[in-house]
Amino acid sequence: MSLECFKPLFDSFPWLLLQLNVEQKGVFFSCFLGFLALLWCFIRNSNKGLPPGPKVLPLIGNLHSLDVSSETHIYFASLSQTYGPICRLWLGLKVGIIITSSALAREVLKDKDAIFANRDVSAAGREFSYGVNDLIWNPYGPKWRMLRKVCVRDMLSCSNIDSVYALRRRELRQSINYLYSQKGLPVNVGEQMFLTVLNVMTSMLWGGTLKGEERASLGAEFRHVVTEIAELISIPNLSDFYPGLAWFDFQGVIKKMKLLLKRFDKIFESMIDQRQKLDRNGVGQESKDFLQVLLKLKDEADPKMPLTMTEIKALLMDLVVGGTDTTSNAVEFAMAEIMNKPDVLRKLQQELDTVVGKDNIVEEFHIQQLPYLYAVMKEAMRIHPALPLLAPHCPSETITIGGYTVPKGSRVFVNVWAIHRDPSIWQNPTEFRPERFLDNKWNYSGNDFNYFPFGSGRRMCAGIAMAERMFMYSLASLIHSFDWILPEGETLDLKEKFCIALKKKIPLVAIPTPRLSNPTLNSNKGLPPGPKPLPLIGNLYSLDPTYFASLSQTYGPICRLWLGKKVGIIITSPALAREVLKDKDTIFANRDVPAAARELSYGGNNILWTPYGPKWRMLRKVCVRDMLSSSTLDSVYALRRKELRQSINYFYSQKGLPVNVGEQMFLTLLNVITSMLWGGTVKGEERASLGAEFRHIVTEMAALVSIPNYSDFYPGLAWFDLQGVTKKMKVLAKRFDKIFESMIDQRQKLHRNAEMGDGVGQESKDFLQVLLKLKDEADFKMPLTMTEIKALLMEMVLGGTATTANTVEFAMAEIMHKLDVLRKLQQEVDAVVGKDNIVEESHIQQLPYLYAVMKEVLRMHPATPLLVPHCPSETCTVGGYTVPKGSRVFINVWAIQRDASIWKNPTEFRPERFLDNKWDFSGNDLNYFPFGSGRRICVGIAMAERMFMYSLASLIHSFDWKLPKGETSDLTEMFDITLRKKIPLVTIPNPRLSNATLYE
């Protein structure tokens, strides 16, 4: 064999020789050849116990086989045909081990994974990774585990990827729009996909930092740098295979990589500087990008294992370089294979047309409904795995694999490309046939070593979820939006070119022809899609969360309704909910106040309906700090206890008889709320007599707020009050106002008498007393008025009764439907409280299963299933669509909390899913937020939590429950502004405490 194949190794470092005179060159080559001769002697004496392999050439071993002009993965596969599933190469002074069977791959990547979890770091890789400070090249150990945790948990988790869906959507729509502008013209598919994926990655990395042209202008520079970096990492470098020569950097690889790294570093420094400035100035809190996450993690890191700025830049490098080439190459290969198989293209388009429709565009939520597309992706990754030899592994100790010695520090190549084409595993392995994956037998978990395109074990790719989404979303959009043909006279070529990542040898150039019915579908401009409106009334005929959920199946996670002349926007995904409630919270912090709500809130003067601003902040502060704080709630525990004991006593008096649970819980909670509001003001029968009147008023008010009112949707008709909603609400509000005036008058009389020295009223601490005191002490610039006090009382009575009562009723119905849950609850309460004792509020912190039951009830039956509608203060973009100023925005928390992609068996009542305490009511995780999120999150969470837990624990502990004979448990929901049971729960209580006096 000639040394001609070794020539490229020398061609890349003439710059060094040009600096030497003739005599110096002679000395250099004499030393160099002498050094190689010594290495040759070493190699010849070091083959004992190693796997078989090809004959070693003098001086260079088998280094010629890594020539960049050859197809290394194919050459390695051919070696396995001669030498078996494990064979050896000498790469200079380093041993290379090639694994080409699933059994031996399992041995390396699973059985002995800890030993092979390190990397043989190349000189180029060391520079690229800021001195081995990234995830790809970092040695296995605590630092690597910390970095992987940062990537998997804090950056590339499903929830974080969801949260930046709008960025992906925007960039892909721009790409599709570009292809539409090129209709009928040849397009380089791989190049366009590279730029698309690059824009997606950089948008997710610092999408909230750079805007417009400044971000877009980075595209060309990044593509050039990424391409050069990939080539430098792939070059066989003498510095890697002859460590003694590393200092000389003969080929200039390190020098070139340093120059490229400086260009990247300049960009990273600029991004980091801008992000830190924005954060210091308090600007940019609405923009959530990965750089913001990383900088926050750096500030909060454990001092024993800090996340450094160098590591942040190294991780950014991993994501930019690792997340672009591989995905764009995979999509290009898939497109080429599909165009080579017209029947596959036809099946794909039929599936997309059925699921998406030709009058709609592909959204990411569609991809879960596209099994054939999923099979196409798997087949493309089988034939053309992104990293055909994976990233080389390096054993931390000498070990035996397949009966042969694998030395410590050797470079181990796992030829996944060859395993994926093994005819003993795959029928017709070179044929592109997606049907082989339709049985869902194969996945990307890395557990089956016949198919593992993303690797396996500890060093498995951390970005699988991201790659999967980008591949599916991109390919679906390309296939759905266009028909594709080759330019005239061109033929399709599927040859591969080996680099660190596999790419097409000849780029795919194809002509797109639009196939959607409406060319404007690919534009980012305009309202979200939605159903066709009816004349005059638009889509006003249904405002139900189940209907809204069905709309999302057709039109996507953001869709539009016309509610008369008003635009309604429905959000049905955690990512877009985050965009509204977190990222753009200040814009969406207002309410679209209906006419009925304006009346019941005394002209929008309560927490729920007051516009966002100083007045709202003052009212919220009053509620959170002075009325509903933990200390204030503790101070009125005696009132809660008294009312709940009276309710338990009532149930005891009805033992053996059917009882309407929801009705009784409503009255209990109403008595609790009114006791806390003015419990020290009204005594005995006078307070109790208010119960029936209040329940009637509350029920009627909730119905009026929920009625679709023409006055709200046709502003020009508001004056006429055609449905009489405003008139009816005024009448009801007057009845409340009369009660409030009476309570306030009595409280003020008691206060005046106390000031005169008779001591009346000093022992009674209730919320009305607190509010009147705050009114007297209020800042004159932001006074608390008597109107606002009455509005807050109204809100407490309305908001604190029906919602909690309905939730307790749903909980009882679900528990009676699941007797094993009832049994577990009673066992837990008996263990903590005892059957010779009654439940106290102090017990509930010791009842984790009861807490899980509460969370599960609120997941399945959130009190306000669409939250209280939000209203943007300015026209903005959500999910790539326009949301007009003043529109009514519904967040369908009911649908999100039943989303099968988030929750396993979402319609099953299974409290166990909450036992790990992963989920809370903070509103930070937009997969679970029953009380809302952001500035307008419910202020009464602490109160609702206490009352639910205390009430349910008392009911479950005090009684066994059974349905009346012949009755069945019905869980059908009825939508109001709050969610309630359609058929009231009527059930029979049977006492279970050991001492009857405990019920007194």
Side-chain angles (χ1 to χ4, degrees), residues 258-316:
K258 282 181 183 291
L259 291 174
L260 293 174
L261 187 64
K262 276 185 181 179
R263 294 165 69 182
F264 256 124
D265 197 65
K266 185 179 177 183
I267 294 167
F268 293 155
E269 289 283 355
S270 173
M271 300 303 103
I272 290 167
D273 184 56
Q274 290 191 52
R275 166 50 64 197
Q276 288 178 321
K277 282 180 182 176
L278 289 173
D279 289 343
R280 281 195 299 270
N281 296 332
V283 181
Q285 295 306 306
E286 294 175 0
S287 56
K288 291 290 181 183
D289 51 48
F290 289 170
L291 179 54
Q292 192 170 1
V293 171
L294 286 171
L295 291 172
K296 185 180 179 184
L297 288 170
K298 175 183 176 291
D299 294 337
E300 299 172 355
D302 182 351
K304 295 179 181 178
M305 188 61 68
L307 178 65
T308 66
M309 194 64 78
T310 298
E311 288 160 352
I312 286 177
K313 291 192 285 189
L315 287 175
L316 294 177

Side-chain angles (χ1 to χ4, degrees), residues 729-741:
M729 190 62 89
K730 281 182 184 290
V731 172
L732 294 174
K734 277 185 181 179
R735 293 164 70 181
F736 255 127
D737 195 65
K738 184 178 177 181
I739 296 167
F740 294 154
E741 288 284 357

Side-chain angles (χ1 to χ4, degrees), residues 228-240:
E228 285 200 49
I229 283 176
E231 289 178 358
L232 285 175
I233 291 176
S234 303
I235 287 173
N237 185 5
L238 292 176
S239 297
D240 299 330

Side-chain angles (χ1 to χ4, degrees), residues 504 590 625:
K504 274 188 96 277
N590 277 313
R625 186 193 63 183

Side-chain angles (χ1 to χ4, degrees), residues 596-657:
R598 189 170 289 107
E599 292 300 325
L600 72 84
S601 61
Y602 287 80
N605 275 294
N606 65 358
I607 292 287
L608 201 60
W609 300 107
T610 298
Y612 174 65
K615 175 67 74 173
W616 174 82
R617 283 191 286 271
M618 181 272 289
L619 292 174
R620 184 177 175 87
K621 186 177 179 182
V622 166
C623 281
V624 173
R625 186 193 63 183
D626 300 303
M627 293 173 66
L628 297 173
S629 66
S630 292
S631 59
T632 307
L633 291 174
D634 286 342
S635 71
V636 289
Y637 167 53
L639 297 174
R640 290 195 296 282
R641 187 183 190 279
K642 178 181 69 176
E643 298 301 338
L644 192 57
R645 299 273 18 107
Q646 286 181 359
S647 182
I648 295 298
N649 201 24
Y650 168 79
F651 281 120
Y652 182 75
S653 71
Q654 301 296 304
K655 58 189 175 185
L657 301 174

Side-chain angles (χ1 to χ4, degrees), residues 829-840:
V829 179
D830 288 350
V832 173
V833 180
K835 292 184 74 171
D836 57 349
N837 197 6
I838 58 173
V839 177
E840 301 288 356

